[in-house]
Amino acid sequence: MVKEIERAGLPVVHICTVTPISMTVGANRIVPAIAIPHPLGNPALNHEEEKKLRRKLVEKALRALTTEVEDQTIFED
């Protein structure tokens, strides 16, 4: 689905825990997530730390969304 949305002219960021799967399905902008059971958070953290973690992931995804890419790119930091 990621490839079809991009073909329509809308950039897409795929946030995932297993980046090789994103590569296989053809996602162009890939942001690694935290862990399979909790991709966008960490329940072991206190409220404030988890909020910072989630914000960092969303900001990374927004940077990826606004970055022109030629090939599949994994945005580590």
Side-chain angles (χ1 to χ4, degrees):
M1 181 177 262
V2 172
K3 289 170 73 172
E4 293 302 318
I5 294 171
E6 288 216 354
R7 269 185 226 172
L10 298 169
V12 174
V13 176
H14 196 224
I15 299 175
C16 66
T17 54
V18 185
T19 57
I21 292 174
S22 293
M23 299 291 284
T24 301
V25 299
N28 287 326
R29 294 171 186 84
I30 303 165
V31 172
I34 305 302
I36 291 173
H38 308 285
L40 295 177
N42 181 346
L45 298 175
N46 67 42
H47 176 73
E48 196 58 39
E49 290 172 331
E50 186 167 24
K51 184 176 177 182
K52 287 178 187 177
L53 176 65
R54 290 180 181 198
R55 182 175 191 90
K56 182 179 173 185
L57 279 168
V58 169
E59 288 174 349
K60 188 186 307 183
L62 289 172
R63 280 192 306 274
L65 190 63
T66 60
T67 302
E68 290 291 327
V69 295
E70 295 286 324
D71 297 316
Q72 291 179 304
T73 305
I74 298 176
F75 291 83
E76 297 289 343
D77 285 321

